[in-house]
Amino acid sequence: EPEVTQTPSHQVTQMGQEVILRCVPISNHLYFYWYRQILGQKVEFLVSFYNNEISEKSEIFDDQFSVERPDGSNFTLKIRSTKLEDSAMYFCASNGWPGYEQYFGPGTRLTVT
Amino acid sequence: AQSVTQLGSHVSVSEGALVLLRCNYSSSVPPYLFWYVQYPNQGLQLLLKYTSAATLVKGINGFEAEFKKSETSFHLTKPSAHMSDAAEYFCAVSPNGNEKLTFGTGTRLTIIP
């Protein structure tokens, strides 16, 4: 069964460093998303991406964040200068027509020290 | 704007007993509703979805949910709890199939042997 994959599973970085989180969505999907979940809290939407552009972003997704689909398979989330409060589990998701459900990857746990 | 309220951050039931996890939604348009399950240290797995078809939705692992527009509810049930059902359960709403999911705060289900 097709699945969304994410790498790395765990990333530790120092405050102020740049990180790139990688995702490979399901191959025939067209809509891509990033969510995050701070430890013990609910899952929060960050950004959605369709047709090579951002379709919606939350207030969390400020200028420090960017997304890119550099080729036909990868979908990346970049944080330019990490802060302590960026420590969270980051989930990538995708869905495609005509299905309505979003398929989630296993997540990348980002720890900023 | 859409929102989801999950009543009860922790629910404990005995093995073999009925599981009832509550979810109420708020939406300005007919909603698409989802239940996801998260096992420890894992990603989000779709349990079931409501997409304006049948109001009683059956999902995986014996779970089902009923959409009640008059009560703006989408409660999750399972007739007989199993130890393997212990996990965090999230209700989520989307304005359509390809827009962001708004999640509830989650309900941690504990199964008592």
Side-chain angles (χ1 to χ4, degrees):
Chain A
E1 185 176 334
E3 59 181 16
V4 176
T5 60
Q6 291 185 243
T7 54
S9 58
H10 191 189
Q11 172 97 44
V12 181
T13 190
Q14 290 190 325
M15 194 167 51
Q17 295 296 304
E18 174 184 288
V19 295
I20 298 176
L21 310 183
R22 292 182 167 81
C23 169
V24 179
I26 294 173
S27 63
N28 62 345
H29 283 184
L30 302 175
Y31 301 84
F32 313 110
Y33 312 83
W34 283 101
Y35 294 83
R36 80 172 185 188
Q37 184 182 29
I38 295 172
L39 186 63
Q41 299 186 23
K42 69 176 180 180
V43 179
E44 301 174 289
F45 167 77
L46 290 178
V47 65
S48 57
F49 191 87
Y50 170 70
N51 200 25
N52 284 319
E53 61 182 28
I54 291 173
S55 46
E56 187 176 359
K57 59 183 180 180
S58 72
E59 62 275 9
I60 303 168
F61 195 88
D62 61 23
D63 291 344
Q64 293 300 312
F65 290 87
S66 62
V67 289
E68 192 177 34
R69 188 156 162 82
D71 52 42
S73 59
N74 290 282
F75 180 50
T76 62
L77 174 69
K78 181 193 290 186
I79 309 175
R80 290 189 182 81
S81 178
T82 50
K83 302 187 281 285
L84 293 175
E85 54 265 38
D86 293 327
S87 295
M89 181 74 89
Y90 288 80
F91 293 107
C92 173
S94 69
N95 70 348
W97 197 261
Y100 300 108
E101 62 267 34
Q102 294 179 23
Y103 291 84
F104 282 77
T108 293
R109 180 168 297 284
L110 176 65
T111 302
V112 182
T113 61
Chain B
Q2 302 192 308
S3 66
V4 167
T5 301
Q6 291 184 243
L7 292 177
S9 58
H10 290 86
V11 170
S12 295
V13 301
S14 297
E15 190 175 14
L18 171 72
V19 175
L20 170 61
L21 304 183
R22 299 177 187 275
C23 173
N24 288 88
Y25 70 90
S26 173
S27 178
S28 56
V29 297
Y32 289 69
L33 293 159
F34 307 83
W35 275 99
Y36 283 86
V37 61
Q38 184 179 34
Y39 297 102
N41 300 315
Q42 293 189 27
L44 296 161
Q45 181 182 5
L46 181 72
L47 274 178
L48 49 80
K49 63 185 179 186
Y50 167 77
T51 57
S52 74
T55 57
L56 181 62
V57 180
K58 294 188 184 298
I60 62 171
N61 301 338
F63 284 94
E64 63 182 37
E66 187 173 6
F67 173 73
K68 292 186 177 180
K69 184 178 179 181
S70 60
E71 299 178 7
T72 62
S73 68
F74 189 57
H75 301 331
L76 181 71
T77 60
K78 181 174 180 177
S80 177
H82 191 273
M83 295 300 295
S84 60
D85 295 327
E88 186 97 20
Y89 291 80
F90 291 95
C91 183
V93 63
S94 173
N96 64 36
N98 299 315
E99 293 186 33
K100 69 178 183 184
L101 289 169
T102 299
F103 284 86
T105 50
T107 297
R108 182 170 298 279
L109 177 64
T110 300
I111 310 299
I112 303 167

